[in-house]
Amino acid sequence: MFHKIHPDMNLAELVEKLNLSIFSGKEALSKPVTGGYTSDLLSDVMGHAGPGQVWITLQTHKNVVAIASLKELSAIILVKGYKPDDEMLSQSIAERIPVLGTTLETFEITGRVFMLLNRDNSD
Amino acid sequence: MHFEYHVEGGNFSQAGFTSSQVKKTLKQLNVDGDVIRRTVIALYEAEVNIVAHAYKGKIAVDIDPEKISILLDDEGPGIPDIQKAMEVGYSTATPQVREMGFGAGMGLSNMKNNSDRLDIDSVVGKGTRVMIINYFNPTR
């Protein structure tokens, strides 16, 4: 959990700074980002992720969107060049949960998201 | 208020539908956000358990001014050792289900941690009944 979040951070800025690809949800990129959660276990995310966070995962199926929507997460970031399957893609459009992508591995993208969200912290 | 939903075993593309409907209803009723979040977590896990383990199930939701009561009743293999099943990390999910990121053995503990009352009754070879109750006034 981040202790200080850059107040102006939204998905559009995250996409730009981290050079993320956009699979869906272009129109929902003004959503604020409150933090991030990295996990491939759905019950872990269900139990512990918080509203407004971006979810970093390698899972590419529809249930990921269902959980993101129930938990009111801001977006999903797929790692290592993974692409959403067709059902995930259409569900993400219906639920207005952007699915973003990176070619980076989980460790690296998580670190970059963390650094970006905490860029004003000097400690 | 009373609602009923049917859940089909094995149909992961519908998993979470009931949870989403119940969440919408609780929001419309202006229920406390924390109670909604806890209820959604507990219900989603219970709903997914029917999809992952049972042949079919029925979910009955009752909402009165004090609480939400959810009864999930499935026809399925049942749980031989409920205490064991409650242990974090214990799961009998199939490899396919685990590959999707389900079946990590966290579902029942999520249910326990996010319900004010949780009762599980199971008959091996017949099915499982789960009752989740959450009160709207958390100080109760």
Side-chain angles (χ1 to χ4, degrees):
Chain A
M1 193 77 67
F2 303 120
H3 39 286
K4 272 186 222 159
I5 296 301
H6 194 272
D8 300 326
M9 183 63 70
N10 66 15
L11 288 172
E13 196 176 350
L14 206 71
V15 165
E16 189 208 317
K17 293 258 159 60
L18 300 176
N19 196 23
L20 303 175
S21 50
I22 304 168
F23 294 113
S24 65
K26 228 182 199 124
E27 70 293 338
L29 295 183
S30 59
K31 280 202 256 181
V33 179
T34 63
Y37 200 85
T38 298
S39 183
D40 302 320
L41 299 178
L42 306 193
S43 286
D44 180 31
V45 176
M46 200 62 215
H48 302 288
Q53 295 180 341
V54 289
W55 176 7
I56 298 166
T57 183
L58 51 66
Q59 298 288 353
T60 57
H61 55 85
K62 179 182 178 181
N63 296 275
V64 172
V65 178
I67 289 173
S69 170
L70 286 169
K71 298 293 290 183
E72 299 177 15
L73 306 182
S74 59
I76 297 153
I77 301 177
L78 301 180
V79 300
K80 297 199 286 189
Y82 282 41
K83 292 181 173 61
D85 71 17
D86 291 347
E87 275 195 336
M88 180 180 186
L89 200 58
S90 53
Q91 186 79 6
S92 73
I93 292 164
E95 303 272 3
R96 293 175 51 85
I97 305 277
V99 178
L100 312 171
T102 178
T103 52
L104 296 177
E105 294 193 356
T106 307
F107 177 76
E108 294 172 323
I109 187 67
T110 299
R112 287 183 198 197
V113 169
F114 184 89
M115 291 304 285
L116 199 54
L117 290 175
N118 287 268
R119 63 190 167 180
D120 290 341
N121 286 353
S122 47
D123 53 318
Chain B
M1 292 169 108
H2 179 86
F3 306 92
E4 282 189 15
Y5 305 91
H6 291 273
V7 180
E8 201 186 319
N11 186 359
F12 277 94
S13 92
Q14 284 300 308
F17 176 78
T18 301
S19 307
S20 168
Q21 296 304 112
V22 169
K23 182 185 170 190
K24 276 181 203 154
T25 303
L26 292 177
K27 278 201 157 178
Q28 278 161 10
L29 294 171
N30 268 320
V31 169
D32 173 73
D34 200 45
V35 175
I36 297 179
R37 277 190 286 279
R38 296 179 74 236
T39 304
V40 164
I41 294 170
L43 173 55
Y44 180 80
E45 295 291 359
E47 188 182 350
V48 164
N49 278 348
I50 297 180
V51 176
H53 298 285
Y55 316 125
K56 62 175 178 176
K58 201 175 79 182
I59 303 179
V61 179
D62 283 282
I63 300 173
D64 65 33
E66 285 86 40
K67 64 183 185 299
I68 175 166
S69 314
I70 306 167
L71 179 66
L72 303 101
D73 202 349
D74 76 45
E75 290 172 32
I79 307 169
D81 185 342
I82 293 174
Q83 224 169 342
K84 184 94 189 151
M86 296 295 294
E87 286 175 16
V88 175
Y90 180 82
S91 176
T92 58
T94 62
Q96 293 96 308
V97 169
R98 287 174 202 251
E99 254 174 50
M100 293 171 78
F102 291 112
M106 298 174 183
L108 286 174
S109 69
N110 270 353
M111 284 161 64
K112 197 176 168 206
N113 293 337
N114 290 285
S115 51
D116 293 332
R117 212 180 119 188
L118 173 67
D119 291 315
I120 304 175
D121 286 307
S122 192
V123 180
V124 172
K126 287 200 83 171
T128 301
R129 291 184 98 174
V130 174
M131 175 69 121
I132 295 165
I133 297 178
N134 276 349
Y135 293 95
F136 296 143
N137 181 356
T139 57
R140 215 193 116 99

